[in-house]
Amino acid sequence: MLARLQRIAVLALFFLSGVCGLVYEVVWARELTRVLGVTVHATATVLAAYMAGLALGSFAFGRRIDRARNPVRVYAWLELAIGICGLSIPFAFALARALFASVGDAFGERFVLLSAFRSGIALCVLLVPTFLMGGTVPAIARYLVERRESVGWNVGLLYALNTLGGAAGVVATGFVLVPYLGLGATTALAAAGNFAIAAVLLLARVGEGESARTAQPSEPAPAAFARNARLAGVVFAASGFAALAYEVVWTRVLVVHVHNSSYAFSTMLAVFLAGLVLGDLLMLRFVDRLARPLGWLGGVQVALGISVVVAAAVYAPLGALGRIATGAAGLDSWRASVAEMFFQAALVMLPFTALLGTTFALVARVVCGDVRTAGRALANVYAANTCGAIVGALASAFVLIPWLGLRGTLLFLSALNVLLGAACWLTEARRPELRLALAAVVLAALVLPHLAIPQHLFQGAFGDASRKLIFYREGASDTTGIWEAVPSGHRVVFYGDQRGTAGTNTNSLNRTQGHLAHLLHPRPTASLQIGFGVGNTLGAASLHPEVQRLDCVELSPHVRETAPFFWTNGGVLDDPKVRLVVEDGRNYLLRTRERYQVITLEPPNVYTAGVVDLYTREFYALASAALTDDGLLSQWIAAVDHEDEDVRSMVRAVAEVFPEVTVWDMGPLDEFGIDAPTGFLLVIAAKQPLRIDPRELARRMDAEPVRADLQKIGFARPARLLSLFVAGNAGVRAWTEGATPVTDDFTRVDYASARSVYSGFGRGFAALGGAQARAWLGRLAGVGRLEQRLRQPIEPLLV
């Protein structure tokens, strides 16, 4: 009885271990991308480094755990060490940041060397804790597996509980812990969980006296065991490859519907993990009674290949299905938005993730011939699966999607699963007539996805009757396209991850920002812009004759192709003084040695995942270091998306770094004939007191081609331009007094904005309708009232 209670306690603690492990993964990935960037290359590097540590740990501990007298005690010490590493990792992040800042720029645009350097940093930071995490699986598996006849049940239950804990950890981290506590407190809680696990197991002396019982030899394994075990290992490795590749593809295309808010990734990952648990639990009931587990493993692989047809069939009407499920034509609450996100992700991902979840228990049944070596056998296949996952994540992003596209990648993965299933069936089938029947099934499974998945399935998610798609590209980092509105002819660029748009209809706003900072600086010879959009802002900046060097850092590599479609940018990328760098903006500032008089920031809306990293106090410190002593920084804030308190927090972050901070309105949206506040603010910060010479300003505004461009957007006179002024340094500091600044540790505003009706619950204008539209218009009026409260005379700034 005592032994049974101990085993239940170990399983419960392993569930908690899964919670802590995914908490760490989410937090560490976010911290490292602030060092290495949020490009697909940097993100894949972090994921690969994380999983490499798991694979190495599983392999290393698996080779030794079968000789341990008490594997539970080994597991307890591993949890204690993981907790210590968890508390130490912030110091490793600081060292990584310093190292990257000191030598990162030496690699310049040499992609291979820079990627290798990034990989080395990520591996050095994550190797020790993930190595220890990888050792926990063989340790607990060795403790639980008593008899070969029950290996499927025990391993499957272990996998289900740990994965379910991971799903709980993802939801808790993404929806509660990080939004309300910040990264530091979240990490401390995870470490406390590790310490609690270790303390319970060590103090209760769990597992002592168990080794003699669990080390009894099994009945001899069948003669074909070694052959089947090798094949199962290969299939499990390929299954890991396919699993991560599928996740990359479906995550890429699902954000079109759920939007890429700070909550969307947590939603999709939680659904993915929940599907694995569901499949594993379904298999638990009969896995140990299967006479031919390898044949069943083959059947699961073939079913996986066919499941892409089901997912594709659901994807086409996914938007309408989500609205039907939530019972509203437009979202009317944050709760409804979350429900729709989970529902849409589950419709697409649950069928194939449930099938993936059945594989571990089946593989365990095939490879465990003797319980005395079960730890090593399970560790080896777990390591193989993890290595396959690493290759799958990298290959899908860098090879399959760029070469084959999203649909082609799904077809490739489907064929891979079917062929793996065929290999399993061929090994098990003995009668010729059975082999012929199975060959027919395999052939049908290979052909069906080609016929059933429409050629333009994913392009169709971006168009409707009011707009036509005139450009579409699927690349390694994102999906990029251009809409042309019917019948107005306005063009808008969009990204598959929904991180923001710009177009011909935002020309006046963009150009206002591009002109204002360069006119306020007396000698802007070198300028940096973070975010290209469609090039309107950069085009305005390029017209200033004083600017001799104009660098632009943009995350999407497709801007060179999309820029010619927008006549409003004036062909700015052909200007010889313009240099385009495809990179994460924060990462560029961290490693660059260049110095600029003006830095202009034009990122997407803050509720878009990762964008808030360009609004934190630490980011502004990086920007300040890249500015000359007389430099200016211009940052836009979509105040219409936020409550006043969140706007105060964002401006406060700037004010804690720069001694001079002013706030300006971005002006009317002339393309739509709107001569009213748009709800967008410009924060212009400086290292020195801002002083404006009206005569010099008039002279520079009158110089061609600046003069002609300003007239087009309604700023023919200096007085009109200066009328955008809202508040000076003293007024800004009085207004933000007591506000909590946005920091790397506690961003808060990105989560708050995504929960707001003003942002369409993190989905922007796509979700605004009815009550949401009225609330957004009310907020727009609120921003106008805020500007009136802050409004100050500009005369103190004039000289």
Side-chain angles (χ1 to χ4, degrees), residues 464-478:
D464 57 40
S466 66
R467 59 194 180 189
K468 59 182 179 180
L469 194 63
I470 62 173
F471 176 89
Y472 183 85
R473 289 287 185 277
E474 295 170 357
S477 60
D478 56 32

Side-chain angles (χ1 to χ4, degrees), residues 239-315:
S239 180
F241 174 95
L244 263 290
Y246 278 130
E247 184 180 5
V248 169
V249 172
W250 287 117
T251 299
R252 279 276 298 270
V253 299
L254 274 172
V255 291
V256 175
H257 294 284
V258 304
H259 205 291
N260 190 26
S261 73
S262 298
Y263 293 98
F265 175 75
S266 297
T267 298
M268 290 183 284
L269 181 56
V271 169
F272 188 89
L273 295 173
L276 297 181
V277 174
L278 177 63
D280 189 63
L281 292 177
L282 290 174
M283 180 58 67
L284 278 182
R285 297 181 61 85
F286 55 88
V287 63
D288 288 313
R289 298 197 297 270
L290 299 177
R292 296 183 179 276
L294 185 64
W296 278 84
L297 182 61
V300 167
Q301 293 299 313
V302 173
L304 270 169
I306 299 174
S307 71
V308 300
V309 176
V310 178
V314 172
Y315 181 81

Side-chain angles (χ1 to χ4, degrees), residues 60-90:
F61 280 93
R63 298 179 68 84
R64 295 169 175 78
I65 197 63
D66 291 314
R67 298 195 295 270
R69 297 182 59 186
N70 183 359
V72 177
R73 192 173 183 84
V74 175
Y75 169 66
W77 285 111
L78 285 173
E79 288 289 341
L80 181 63
I82 292 168
I84 294 172
C85 286
L87 295 179
S88 305
I89 282 291

Side-chain angles (χ1 to χ4, degrees), residues 231 234-235 238-239 297-298 301-302 415-425:
L231 179 58
V234 171
V235 171
S239 180
L297 182 61
Q301 293 299 313
V302 173
L416 174 64
N417 287 130
V418 172
L419 293 175
L420 290 170
C424 294
W425 282 349

Side-chain angles (χ1 to χ4, degrees), residues 126 332 546:
L126 298 179
D332 57 4
E546 300 91 350

